[in-house]
Amino acid sequence: MNEFQEKILRICNENSKNTLMETLEIEYIEVGENFLVGKMPVTPRVHQPDGILHGGATAALAESIGSAASYVFLNGEEYYVRGIEITANHIKSIRAGFVFAKAMIIHKGRTTQLWEIKITDEEGGLLSLCKLTTISLPRKR
């Protein structure tokens, strides 16, 4: 990992302080030319009552990673990024360990962006497939 990538991850992780991302223990761990990866521990804090990962926590992970990716790849210093629609197809459940979210751009428009976020387990098995639409609005100076 180069110095620039390390800086991006450091900024993403610092921006998580006192947010839902910190509450869910989401950590940004890898960034590339067209993707961002984060991980989240699966513990009872993110379980539904029967002891498996809650779909809402999965969706929160996906939206967090996709929105951060928009911020990184669309110059978040000049634009506000907001999620405007998210879908999540849950394929498989998990009780413990870590889940990983990888956001990849499908459409990078000036105003709207479409992201695919794959949620996988530690072995790379697909748990959920999510799509996130974001909107970028110019910051007022």
Side-chain angles (χ1 to χ4, degrees), residues 84-128:
I84 56 175
E85 182 179 26
I86 188 163
T87 62
N89 291 288
H90 306 300
I91 300 159
K92 187 175 153 188
S93 61
I94 185 172
R95 294 185 180 279
F98 284 91
V99 289
F100 298 84
K102 183 174 185 176
M104 297 193 64
I105 192 82
I106 295 172
H107 168 72
K108 185 179 176 182
R110 286 181 298 169
T111 305
T112 60
Q113 302 78 43
L114 179 60
W115 295 89
E116 175 185 82
I117 304 103
K118 290 184 178 178
I119 310 295
T120 58
D121 60 21
E122 292 173 272
E123 289 78 42
L126 184 63
L127 302 175
S128 298

Side-chain angles (χ1 to χ4, degrees), residues 4-5 15 18 21 27-28 30-31 43 49 51 62 64 80 90 92 99 107 109 113 123 125 127 129 135 137:
F4 181 68
Q5 290 169 315
N15 286 340
N18 299 313
M21 287 75 74
E27 180 184 358
Y28 300 89
E30 187 180 356
V31 63
T43 66
S64 298
Y80 289 106
H90 306 300
K92 187 175 153 188
V99 289
H107 168 72
Q113 302 78 43
E123 289 78 42
L127 302 175
L129 180 61
I135 187 167
L137 302 169

